[in-house]
Structure formats: structure tokens, C-alpha cells
Amino acid sequence: MLHSQTHLRSRPIQAGHLRAFEAVARHLNFRMAAEEMALTQSAVSRQIQGLEDEVGVALFLRHTRAVELTAAGMQLLQAVAQALPRIDGAVRHIRQTAGRKQVSITTFASFASMWLIPRLEVFQRENPDIDIRIDASDTAFDLDLADIDVAIRYAPAANMPPSARRLFGESVTPMASPWLLKSSPAIRQPRDVLAFTLIEAGDAYTPHLEWLTWRRWLDSNGLGHAQPKRWLSFNYAYQMVQAALSGQGLVLARPPLVAENLASGDLIEVLPGARLHSPMAYWMLVAPRSGSRPEVQAFSQWLLAQAVATRLTSGEGEDPDLVNDLD
């Protein structure tokens, strides 16, 4: 009997019940877990009981109206919460590579809409056999776990791992539509912007975005507490730029994100000598498991080439590291 118990406790557990365990642990509710898994509550309960029998200890404390993880349950959940997404990601990757080539990219919404999507047609024309999937989200996915091949991040250099590739830096500078400038007083010095409506983000004064604000730009140009003709606020950077393009005011824009608008003349940088530089930059990260795939390599090289073009168009100049990589 002792030998049987020792053998039971030392053998690897069967993995079939782990998904039910994760669902119950996440919801702390057998009924909700059963609904999510399209099973009966009694079936989920039997799976949990079977897992507890295999592990040898209780994983949940069952109260009249609630479920609570035991210390052992919390320990197992830490491992399961990491393992299941990796397994799911591996299966998705296997399914994808067995069929069409695909590159999955994650980046934040403003970068996707203002910079990446307008350029994608070029990549798709040159690589018609590669599908692109974009996840435009502010969530920073773990590339070791998520089903993501390439991440484009926005951060200072100190927050990036050695494997990150810098695409381009960032500054902010006043810009306006040429139509607005034709019908308005000339802008020759920083104080002249106060005669205009100033466009900025509604959440710009949160700590990590404060450097993007008109107030910081005004302060850096000796204008202290000066107020403009009017303020106009939006939730997203592309909305701010759209308002500027339609002549509704001056926007404190980021040259890399509006490089094409600058090149076409749809936006004018009204005070080129008054750019306010930032410690932030745009970075490319390639998932370790994806770097050897030809389609990911093709997209990464294309992205680096587009970054060189953006640096030149926005006035930042070439990055020797990027240029060497494209030789």
C-alpha cells in the first residue's frame, strides 16, 4: 500500500484536467467555469476531484457560496497559467505553418493607424504569399508566451532588452494645415501659437505622456502659464492629426508619425527650430521562436527599411546600425 501511494505521488499527472482547473481557479466558481467550457457543472467538479486525487492534496476550499484556492492550488495555478498559453500558442503556430505563411504583429493603436497600416500595402504587394495579422493594443504581450511574432514598442532605451531594434526616435513640434496658415496671422516665434486653437490629447497630463503636452512645450519656450485662444482635446493621436489636417488648430505632432503628411505638404512644421526632443523611441522586438521563419525575417527587414525612410523624411537622419543591417 505504501509503495502504491509513493508511486501515485511521484508519477507525472495527466494533463487532461488542467484546463478545468485553470477555469475554476480564474472564476472561483464551478458554474461559470462549466459555462465557459460548455460542460456540466458536475463534469467540471469530477475533473477537479480527479486532479486533486492525482496531486494528493485539496486544490480548492469549497464553501457554501464560494470557492477558494488552497496554498497548493495557488502554487499549481502559477505553473498552469504560464503553461497553457504556451501550449495554445505552439498549437496555433503549428497550424499556421502547416498552411499559409503569416506574421502577427502587436503595436499600439495610434502607431498602427498612423504609421504601419498606410505602409503595409507596399509589403503586401512585394510579398503576396504572406498574411499579416495586427493586434492594435496597449497591452505589452510576453513574446515568450503570446502568439505574436513581432512587437513594436514605444519606450525609453532603458526599458528595452538588448534584442530590441531601435526604429526611430521622437520629438514634438507645432504643425498646422497650410489652409489654416493662409488665413491666419503669421507664426514667427513661439508666442504666436497662442493666437490659435491648440490641439492635444485629453489624457496628456498623465505622468508617462506629460512630455507630449503643449504646456511643457510652452514652458520650455518661456511662456509659463500663457493660455491659447482655445483648447481642443481628443482621445487618440490620429484624431488630433485629423483635426489639424482639417484646419481646426495647431497640433503638437510627432514627426515620425506624420512623416508622410509633412512630405506631401498636408501639414507644415510652423517652427522648425522649436522641436522638443524626447527620451522615448520606437522599437522592434522579434519573438525568439519566430526569428528563424523566412516570412518574419522578410517583414522585419522591410520594417527596418521603412524606419530608415521615416528617419530621413522626418529630419532625424540615418541610423548607422539600421543602414548596415540593410546592406
Side-chain angles (χ1 to χ4, degrees):
M1 183 68 176
L2 181 61
H3 170 76
S4 176
Q5 290 180 339
T6 302
H7 176 69
L8 179 65
R9 300 295 172 83
S10 62
R11 75 182 185 192
I13 67 167
Q14 299 181 44
H17 301 330
L18 292 179
R19 202 170 293 276
F21 166 74
E22 189 276 337
V24 175
R26 180 160 33 87
H27 292 293
L28 291 178
N29 185 292
F30 278 82
R31 179 185 57 78
M32 293 175 66
E35 290 176 356
E36 177 182 302
M37 300 181 68
L39 297 173
T40 65
Q41 187 170 333
S42 60
V44 171
S45 182
R46 286 194 299 271
Q47 290 192 39
I48 298 302
Q49 184 61 58
L51 181 61
E52 289 177 324
D53 290 343
E54 285 198 87
V55 174
V57 297
L59 301 173
F60 295 96
L61 296 176
R62 296 159 174 81
H63 305 295
T64 303
R65 296 181 178 273
V67 176
E68 179 184 355
L69 280 165
T70 65
M74 287 188 285
Q75 184 178 353
L76 181 60
L77 179 61
Q78 289 180 349
V80 170
Q82 295 181 40
L84 287 180
R86 296 189 70 170
I87 293 169
D88 291 340
V91 170
R92 282 193 295 269
H93 179 64
I94 291 168
R95 288 170 176 167
Q96 290 166 5
T97 55
R100 296 180 60 86
K101 297 177 183 177
Q102 176 176 286
V103 179
S104 56
I105 304 122
T106 181
T107 187
F108 52 101
S110 292
F111 189 88
S113 61
M114 297 175 68
W115 192 91
L116 181 57
I117 293 173
R119 290 167 171 78
L120 267 182
E121 190 274 333
V122 175
F123 178 81
Q124 293 178 315
R125 187 172 64 247
E126 296 172 352
N127 301 272
D129 61 332
I130 299 176
D131 295 336
I132 297 295
R133 179 169 64 88
I134 297 176
D135 186 318
S137 168
D138 292 334
T139 302
F141 292 99
D142 185 339
L143 295 186
D144 287 324
L145 302 177
D147 184 22
I148 296 292
D149 299 312
V150 177
I152 301 171
R153 300 271 169 83
Y154 172 67
N159 291 0
M160 288 290 100
S163 60
R165 302 300 309 276
R166 185 179 182 276
L167 298 177
F168 36 78
E170 189 165 66
S171 59
V172 290
T173 183
M175 296 189 191
S177 160
W179 312 112
L180 176 66
L181 297 177
K182 284 182 180 179
S183 59
S184 304
I187 301 176
R188 297 188 176 90
Q189 58 183 338
R191 177 171 293 277
D192 294 336
V193 306
L194 299 175
F196 293 80
T197 296
L198 299 186
I199 304 167
E200 71 176 355
D203 60 351
Y205 291 88
T206 54
H208 71 291
L209 294 176
E210 191 170 3
W211 74 270
L212 294 169
T213 64
W214 272 108
R215 179 51 54 199
R216 184 170 180 268
W217 187 90
L218 292 170
D219 288 345
S220 71
N221 284 281
L223 294 173
H225 299 289
Q227 292 293 329
K229 173 184 176 181
R230 186 183 299 111
W231 293 102
L232 181 59
S233 301
F234 294 94
N235 289 341
Y236 297 103
Y238 69 85
Q239 296 171 336
M240 295 160 52
V241 170
Q242 189 60 46
L245 287 168
S246 62
Q248 297 182 43
L250 299 183
V251 64
L252 197 61
R254 294 175 268 186
L257 298 190
V258 295
E260 298 304 311
N261 299 114
L262 284 173
S264 66
D266 292 331
L267 283 177
I268 304 294
E269 185 175 2
V270 298
L271 292 168
R275 286 193 180 189
L276 192 60
H277 293 281
S278 158
M280 307 294 280
Y282 299 85
W283 307 83
M284 178 184 73
L285 289 167
V286 177
R289 57 175 172 71
S290 302
S292 61
R293 286 165 45 206
E295 62 269 31
V296 175
Q297 293 175 355
F299 181 82
S300 300
Q301 289 301 309
W302 173 82
L303 196 64
L304 292 173
Q306 292 296 312
V308 170
T310 294
R311 289 171 62 85
L312 295 175
T313 305
S314 64
E316 185 178 350
E318 294 184 350
D319 183 334
D321 291 338
L322 293 183
V323 173
N324 290 339
D325 282 339
L326 298 175
D327 291 341

